[in-house]
Amino acid sequence: MASGLGIALFSSAVFGLSGSFAKSLLETGWSPSAAVTARLTGAALILALPAVSALKGRWHQLVDNWLTIVLFGLIGVAACQLFYFNAVARLSVGVALLLEYLAPVIIVLWLWAASRRRPRVLTAGGTLLSLAGLVLVLDLTGAVKVDLVGVLWGMAAAVCLAIYFFITARENDTLPPIVLASGGLMVGAAVMWLAAATGLLPMAFNTADTKLGPWTTPWWGSLAGLVVLATVLAYTSGIMAARALGSKVASFVSLTEVLFAVLWAWLLLGELPGPVQLLGGVLIVGGVILVRLDELRAVASDAAKGAQMPASPLEHANDVEPVP
């Protein structure tokens, strides 16, 4: 348990670096789509070999799960990261990630509207707490105005994350997590290159040096950090943590990514959300924790009663989280 917790925290720490590495590239003239494409392509190539090894010749698993891989790559990888990087280009890293982490709240509101069944008290309380945190994060009365377009990009990333949870709630568990991660990255990279080739997305690269804290580094240094640390090591250690702790416990620990992202952005970019926004971030994370706890408590209660309930978007064991 202790080693698993350490791996989970390491995964959150390196995942939290993605916003800072990406923003250092964006500030030199890279477009968000170019940063996402380079990240996905590099990570897909590196993870291809361990993915093939994990399959052990069982290629039929790819055929059996092709729809899950395609949807994960299209929504959980390409769209989610593209929207997040667009948000990072206009907002601070911490604010952009907090907006994306509203995905569980979006799920609660959607299920409430679709079923017209009022959520349980703890879930409703967590949702209201997160929405109150959103108001503080946007800091509508503050001196520094939050970019509305950036907020919309962040919310779009949250919607993609919510859709991903719905997808995995219906997924079978026959596919090794490293294969799902690698396959999703390949699909995401292919989609991005196709969009670039057809002119749907602008691809702007730059070889100017990047600035990270007190250091000036070549562009490939930030890109290598984005690919190797914030993607390959992040996904691999996240899968290891899910296996050691169980994916549900690991998903709670992964919420610390927000804290690490804010810390890295402060150290490497010199940006820090204001006190009101930090308080809002605490409320958002606290609300998400309440929603997840209530979901797991309800599942345990149904299991004790012997009830066979359909998989819930938040209850399903996700070994591969599409966090940026």
Side-chain angles (χ1 to χ4, degrees):
M1 176 66 74
S3 61
L5 182 60
I7 295 173
L9 289 173
F10 173 80
S11 178
S12 291
V14 288
F15 256 131
L17 278 166
S18 67
S20 296
F21 282 131
K23 192 154 191 174
S24 69
L25 292 170
L26 299 180
E27 289 178 342
T28 66
W30 283 59
S31 64
S33 51
V36 171
T37 303
R39 179 190 191 187
L40 300 186
T41 303
L45 293 175
I46 295 174
L47 287 177
L49 187 59
V52 170
S53 177
L55 277 174
K56 299 178 180 177
R58 298 188 297 268
W59 298 102
H60 65 89
Q61 291 183 338
L62 295 178
V63 179
D64 295 340
N65 296 276
W66 72 269
L67 183 58
T68 297
I69 296 174
V70 169
L71 290 176
F72 174 60
L74 181 62
I75 299 173
V77 175
C80 192
Q81 294 185 24
L82 178 62
F83 295 161
Y84 171 66
F85 279 13
N86 272 288
V88 165
R90 294 174 172 270
L91 304 170
S92 69
V93 171
V95 170
L97 191 57
L98 284 169
L99 291 173
E100 183 175 353
Y101 266 77
L102 286 170
V105 175
I106 292 175
I107 291 175
V108 171
L109 295 176
W110 170 257
L111 293 177
W112 187 0
S115 65
R116 299 188 182 280
R117 292 175 55 186
R118 183 179 302 175
R120 295 178 296 272
V121 174
L122 198 59
T123 294
T127 301
L128 292 175
L129 192 65
S130 289
L131 292 177
L134 174 61
V135 174
L136 295 181
V137 165
L138 297 181
D139 196 11
L140 300 177
T141 60
V144 179
K145 298 301 180 183
V146 176
D147 189 297
L148 177 59
V149 176
V151 171
L152 293 177
W153 281 120
M155 295 304 297
V159 170
C160 286
L161 187 55
I163 294 173
Y164 169 76
F165 283 127
F166 277 108
I167 293 171
T168 53
R170 295 170 174 80
E171 158 193 13
N172 64 60
D173 295 319
T174 62
L175 194 66
I178 192 68
V179 177
L180 177 58
S182 177
L185 289 167
M186 289 182 181
V187 170
V191 169
M192 295 299 297
W193 282 114
L194 180 61
T198 56
L200 292 177
L201 290 175
M203 287 288 179
F205 300 89
N206 200 305
T207 57
D209 290 343
T210 58
K211 184 73 174 177
L212 289 170
W215 305 283
T216 298
T217 62
W219 64 271
W220 53 261
S222 290
L223 181 59
L226 183 62
V227 172
V228 178
L229 293 178
T231 309
V232 174
L233 282 182
Y235 271 119
T236 304
S237 57
I239 291 169
M240 293 171 60
R243 289 176 175 175
L245 297 176
S247 56
K248 294 183 181 67
V249 175
S251 70
F252 278 97
V253 181
S254 71
L255 292 172
T256 59
E257 182 195 344
V258 176
L259 303 178
F260 283 113
V262 171
L263 178 62
W264 289 125
W266 177 43
L267 295 176
L268 299 178
L269 302 176
E271 64 178 35
L272 186 68
V276 173
Q277 291 179 313
L278 290 175
L279 176 59
V282 172
L283 295 183
I284 288 176
V285 175
V288 170
I289 290 175
L290 290 180
V291 170
R292 285 181 177 257
L293 284 175
D294 197 27
E295 186 74 23
L296 297 182
R297 188 178 67 172
V299 171
S301 176
D302 291 334
K305 296 175 183 177
Q308 295 294 325
M309 301 297 291
S312 164
L314 293 179
E315 182 273 334
H316 183 80
N318 296 308
D319 287 339
V320 182
E321 296 282 356
V323 286

